[in-house]
């Protein structure tokens, strides 16, 4: 209820909320089945709802917060890790890029799934996994080059 209220207050809309949860719907079904076998209805429902709420909240943050603001906030929160030799800027950059990469990979997966349907190979794991991994690696390589061009490489 609280997450739905947050989405409503943000003005993002129901379609955007569903778009955040849709990619994990089959994972949620499998998780529910496994948890039901191990822990019963209450445990299964609790586990699935926690995962879905975490995904929905992470999606709301990425939809409503600019990367620069997210990085600045994370950098301030991570200042204490400086005492153990970790650069808070680099760690905040890593966390921000990780959050921003989830929708990118979900989009890549949707494109690969569409191509699979067009080729008639909907049930082939290899026809899904290989192009998805290649696309994700290309994206990571492009992102790495962009970061390097901005002087953020070692």
């Amino acid at each position: 209820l609280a997450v739905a209220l947050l989405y409503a207050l943000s003005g993002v809309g129901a379609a955007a909320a569903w778009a955040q949860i849709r990619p994990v719907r089959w994972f949620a079904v499998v998780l529910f089945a496994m948890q039901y076998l191990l822990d019963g209805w209450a445990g299964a429902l609790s586990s699935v709802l926690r995962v879905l709420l975490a995904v929905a909240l992470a999606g709301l943050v990425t939809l409503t917060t600019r990367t620069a603001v997210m990085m600045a906030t994370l950098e301030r929160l991570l200042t204490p890790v400086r005492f153990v030799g970790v650069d808070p800027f680099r760690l905040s950059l890593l966390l921000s890029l990780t959050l921003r990469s989830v929708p990118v990979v979900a989009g890549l997966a949707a494109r690969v799934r569409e191509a699979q349907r067009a080729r008639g190979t909907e049930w082939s794991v290899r026809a899904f996994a290989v192009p998805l991994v290649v696309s994700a690696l290309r994206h990571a390589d492009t992102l790495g080059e962009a970061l390097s061009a901005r002087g953020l490489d070692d």
Side-chain angles (χ1 to χ4, degrees), residues 6-109:
L6 287 172
Y7 266 92
L9 289 173
S10 71
V12 171
W18 173 243
Q20 300 304 309
I21 295 172
R22 187 173 42 120
V24 296
R25 68 185 184 272
W26 297 117
F27 172 75
V29 169
V30 172
L31 177 64
F32 184 86
M34 296 290 289
Q35 288 295 320
Y36 176 72
L37 292 173
L38 298 171
D39 200 23
W41 283 100
L45 189 59
S46 174
S47 295
V48 169
L49 284 177
R50 273 187 264 151
V51 168
L52 291 177
L53 289 174
V55 168
L57 284 172
L60 184 61
V61 168
T62 60
L63 287 170
T64 60
T65 309
R66 290 186 6 246
T67 304
V69 173
M70 191 181 316
M71 279 186 58
T73 303
L74 285 171
E75 192 172 350
R76 276 194 308 276
L77 291 172
L78 295 170
T79 301
V81 300
R82 185 181 310 269
F83 299 115
V84 293
V86 177
D87 182 10
F89 173 76
R90 288 185 182 269
L91 189 54
S92 69
L93 178 64
L94 172 72
L95 292 172
S96 297
L97 289 175
T98 301
L99 278 176
R100 291 289 180 188
S101 294
V102 171
V104 170
V105 173
L108 293 173

